């Protein structure tokens, strides 16, 4: 258990705040981003908030990261054409605002101009 305050994503996992949840497994959840930047914009999030970013996740639990990628692939196939962009903002200067690791799954007409660089 983390001694940190629950992240906004942990509150979604606990159903303390609402979200449009599209998939859930024992260790992952996926829901629609509240501020979509593409026709399909989902977040795939581990239920644990112990990893602040993808670097920590990959170093500590590559299997969990692989399951995130597999969930992204299946959701892009289910909700769009199957092609997708997977984005892990890492660090404030790169646009990361929630320090509970999450993958952005973007599909259905990704805007090269806005998504290829940090917000
Ligand atoms: P990042 O900026 O990479 O840390 O991504 C955080 C993402 O979480 C942003 O794209 C936000 O729009 C999204 N977000 C924040 N709060 C919520 C929420 N309550 N439900 C869904 N998405 C959210």
């Amino acid at each position: 258990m983390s001694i940190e305050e629950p992240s906004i994503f942990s509150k979604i996992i606990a159903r303390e705040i609402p979200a449009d949840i599209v998939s859930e497994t024992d260790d992952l959840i996926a829901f629609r981003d509240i501020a979509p930047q593409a026709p399909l914009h989902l977040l795939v999030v581990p239920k644990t908030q112990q990893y602040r970013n993808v670097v920590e996740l990959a170093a500590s639990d590559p299997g969990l990261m692989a399951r995130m990628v597999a969930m992204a692939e299946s959701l892009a196939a289910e909700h769009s054409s199957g092609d997708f962009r997977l984005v892990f903002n890492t660090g404030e200067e790169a646009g990361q605002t929630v320090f509970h690791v999450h993958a952005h799954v973007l599909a259905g007409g990704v805007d090269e101009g806005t998504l290829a660089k940090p917000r």
Side-chain angles (χ1 to χ4, degrees), residues 25 27-28 44 46 51 54 57-74 84 86 88 101 103:
T25 63
D27 56 11
L28 295 174
V44 175
Y51 308 118
V54 68
L57 172 65
S60 297
D61 196 342
L64 181 56
M65 185 169 169
R67 292 193 291 284
M68 289 176 76
V69 175
M71 181 178 277
E73 179 192 33
S74 67
F84 63 102
L86 198 60
F88 291 89
V101 66

Side-chain angles (χ1 to χ4, degrees), residues 20-104:
D20 187 351
I21 295 166
V22 295
S23 187
E24 187 167 19
T25 63
D26 285 350
D27 56 11
L28 295 174
I29 194 165
F31 49 87
R32 292 184 192 277
D33 196 292
I34 205 168
Q37 295 185 49
L40 180 69
H41 186 170
L42 305 175
L43 299 175
V44 175
V45 186
K47 288 186 173 176
T48 177
Q49 69 173 51
Q50 69 181 296
Y51 308 118
R52 289 169 53 82
N53 59 52
V54 68
V55 177
E56 292 184 10
L57 172 65
S60 297
D61 196 342
L64 181 56
M65 185 169 169
R67 292 193 291 284
M68 289 176 76
V69 175
M71 181 178 277
E73 179 192 33
S74 67
L75 289 171
E78 182 182 343
H79 294 276
S80 191
S81 71
D83 291 349
F84 63 102
R85 181 179 290 183
L86 198 60
V87 174
F88 291 89
N89 293 327
T90 305
E92 280 179 31
E93 288 185 22
Q96 187 175 3
T97 58
V98 179
F99 291 83
H100 173 161
V101 66
H102 54 281
H104 296 258

